[in-house]
């Protein structure tokens, strides 16, 4: 475990249920960050595939592991954020990965402007194991507030490249209710009631596109 700091600046959270296909790549992308000023929390909902074997393989590199049933991905994230010690939250799902400099990039931005509460970076995605990077998109606050940040209008806010302060999550009451899908869409709308999303030309996370996933690019 990373025990050098009792209060890390960033908390990285990975929720998982039967994500054994890609979770090792996710974990490696976290523990191999170029900057170590973070803690890592993995919340598994009692997977029945090979996930737990993989998670336990890296238990010395993970600060907190929770293995218990939950009410879905967003409930797991909510529990993990409440358990976290960091000021800033990075949420990366168990089929996605972080850029190797994600923590360093995020710290530089937040330390440069302490007033920031949530940011988005370059849109990144993985198709057929090839990593692609796009550009950071700008989302006016009225677009997010009015539920227009979706494919049929402005375009979705890519969850893998969004980072936010824990105090904003608490202030906005988080997900407010448990969602089965698109919980991040509603979370961003909650955030927009309190703070504007700022876009930066930095690499953070990559969304993996694969057959059979619950969300698609």
């Amino acid at each position: 475990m990373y025990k050098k700091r009792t209060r890390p600046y960033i908390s990285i959270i990975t929720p998982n249920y039967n994500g054994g296909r890609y979770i090792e790549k996710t974990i490696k992308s976290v523990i191999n960050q170029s900057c170590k000023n973070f803690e890592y929390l993995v919340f598994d909902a009692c997977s029945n595939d090979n996930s737990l074997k993989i998670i336990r393989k890296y238990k010395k590199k993970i600060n907190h592991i929770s293995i218990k049933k939950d009410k879905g991905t967003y409930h797991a994230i909510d529990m993990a954020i409440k358990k976290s010690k960091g000021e800033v939250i990075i949420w990366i799902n168990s089929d996605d990965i972080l850029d190797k400099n994600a923590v360093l990039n995020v710290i530089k931005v937040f330390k440069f402007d302490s007033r920031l509460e949530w940011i988005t970076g370059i849109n990144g995605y993985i198709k057929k194991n090839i990593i692609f990077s796009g550009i950071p998109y700008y989302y006016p606050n009225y677009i997010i507030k009015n539920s227009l940040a979706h494919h049929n209008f402005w375009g979705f806010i890519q969850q893998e490249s969004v980072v936010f302060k824990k105090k904003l999550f608490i202030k906005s009451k988080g997900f407010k209710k448990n969602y089965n899908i698109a919980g991040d869409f509603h979370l961003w709308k909650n955030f927009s009631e309190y703070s504007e999303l700022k876009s930066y030309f930095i690499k953070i996370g990559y969304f993996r596109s694969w057959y059979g996933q619950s969300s698609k690019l």
Side-chain angles (χ1 to χ4, degrees):
M1 288 186 187
Y2 299 120
K3 294 184 178 179
K4 293 181 179 179
R5 302 170 179 84
T6 57
R7 192 165 186 81
Y9 187 72
I10 288 177
S11 294
I12 303 175
I13 291 167
T14 295
N16 179 66
Y17 180 65
N18 289 344
R21 184 176 181 180
Y22 294 115
I23 192 171
E24 187 163 24
K25 293 181 185 298
T26 304
I27 292 173
K28 284 184 175 180
S29 78
V30 175
I31 64 177
N32 291 327
Q33 285 292 300
S34 61
C35 174
K36 305 300 184 184
N37 192 358
F38 69 91
E39 64 172 354
Y40 189 29
L41 300 88
V42 176
F43 273 59
D44 183 277
C46 297
S47 294
N48 52 35
D49 65 353
N50 63 334
S51 292
L52 297 182
K53 181 180 179 180
I54 295 170
I55 291 169
R56 287 171 177 142
K57 176 181 175 181
Y58 295 96
K59 64 181 181 180
K60 291 184 179 180
K61 299 288 187 178
I62 301 172
N63 298 83
H64 180 81
I65 298 172
S66 172
I67 302 172
K68 64 180 180 180
K69 292 187 180 297
D70 55 44
K71 299 176 183 177
T73 297
Y74 305 111
H75 179 226
I77 295 163
D78 183 76
M79 291 191 295
I81 290 175
K82 288 176 181 175
K83 180 73 176 178
S84 67
K85 298 176 182 177
E87 182 179 340
V88 173
I89 304 295
I90 296 178
W91 152 27
I92 191 76
N93 290 324
S94 59
D95 50 356
D96 304 319
I97 65 171
L98 291 180
D99 184 82
K100 65 179 181 180
N101 293 315
V103 170
L104 180 63
N105 293 338
V106 168
I107 288 177
K108 284 181 178 179
V109 169
F110 276 97
K111 288 289 181 77
F112 178 75
D113 187 350
S114 61
R115 297 168 298 177
L116 291 171
E117 293 197 277
W118 62 313
I119 66 169
T120 184
I122 294 171
N123 280 4
Y125 56 98
I126 307 167
K127 285 189 176 182
K128 296 181 180 179
N129 292 319
I130 300 173
I131 294 177
F132 299 88
S133 291
I135 60 173
Y137 293 111
Y138 170 65
Y139 298 89
N141 210 46
Y142 75 88
I143 290 291
I144 307 172
K145 273 188 176 183
N146 290 288
S147 303
L148 297 174
H150 56 73
H151 275 319
N152 295 328
F153 192 77
W154 198 268
F156 278 117
I157 301 170
Q158 190 183 47
Q159 171 260 311
E160 298 75 22
S161 288
V162 172
V163 180
F164 53 89
K165 285 189 174 176
K166 181 177 179 177
K167 67 179 182 181
L168 176 61
F169 184 87
I170 295 170
K171 183 167 56 177
S172 68
K173 297 182 174 59
F175 297 105
K176 292 188 178 178
K177 67 176 183 178
N178 191 45
Y179 297 94
N180 291 322
I181 59 172
D184 52 329
F185 175 84
H186 298 282
L187 183 63
W188 311 149
K189 185 176 179 181
N190 294 344
F191 284 0
S192 71
E193 297 294 330
Y194 299 90
S195 178
E196 291 188 9
L197 175 63
K198 301 295 185 180
S199 301
Y200 289 87
F201 201 86
I202 60 170
K203 293 180 180 179
I204 302 175
Y206 300 92
F207 171 86
R208 184 186 300 277
S209 179
W210 55 278
Y211 180 79
Q213 67 191 143
S214 58
S215 60
K216 295 184 179 180
L217 187 65

